[in-house]
Amino acid sequence: MLFVHQDYSFATLRPWYQCALGRGHEALWLIVGAGSMQHLHAHENATQQIDDAVRFKPDAVFVLGDKVPTFIPGIKIQVFHALNESKRGNQYPERGLFDL
């Protein structure tokens, strides 16, 4: 599953979406917050409903940020951004993300 909270996520996550499909996996965009459905391609599978994402039962959730609801199944994989202490200070809790 590809977790989109901001529209800029599509450009970075789309190759992961295409790779998953190319390997015979199902893929789903979960678009929340400021994300917009207008950036989807016609053939792409997407939802704006958290319940749909939970029912999808992803093995992995790819995200550009560092916050994904823990009740969504699957390992959480942070793509592109790192947990940068200099930007945020050292006051953030560990979020259980695999940083890619």
Side-chain angles (χ1 to χ4, degrees), residues 5-100:
H5 194 269
Q6 297 285 335
D7 286 342
Y8 69 86
S9 300
F10 285 100
T12 303
L13 293 176
R14 185 159 277 120
W16 294 92
Y17 184 93
Q18 293 167 340
C19 181
L21 294 180
R23 291 176 179 248
H25 300 288
E26 291 183 69
L28 176 71
W29 292 101
L30 173 58
I31 303 170
V32 299
S36 172
M37 299 283 276
Q38 73 182 13
H39 297 286
L40 292 169
H41 295 167
H43 64 281
E44 293 179 323
N45 187 21
T47 187
Q48 292 180 304
Q49 305 300 315
I50 296 288
D51 291 345
D52 292 342
V54 172
R55 279 191 295 275
F56 185 68
K57 296 181 183 173
D59 293 323
V61 180
F62 293 84
V63 60
L64 293 192
D66 60 359
K67 295 178 185 173
V68 176
T70 57
F71 55 82
I72 294 176
I75 61 170
K76 312 310 186 273
I77 301 172
Q78 183 184 28
V79 178
F80 189 70
H81 294 291
L83 296 174
N84 187 341
E85 185 175 325
S86 65
K87 282 177 69 175
R88 304 175 85 203
N90 59 7
Q91 302 302 315
Y92 56 87
E94 178 57 50
R95 290 188 169 80
L97 292 162
F98 176 80
D99 193 8
L100 184 64

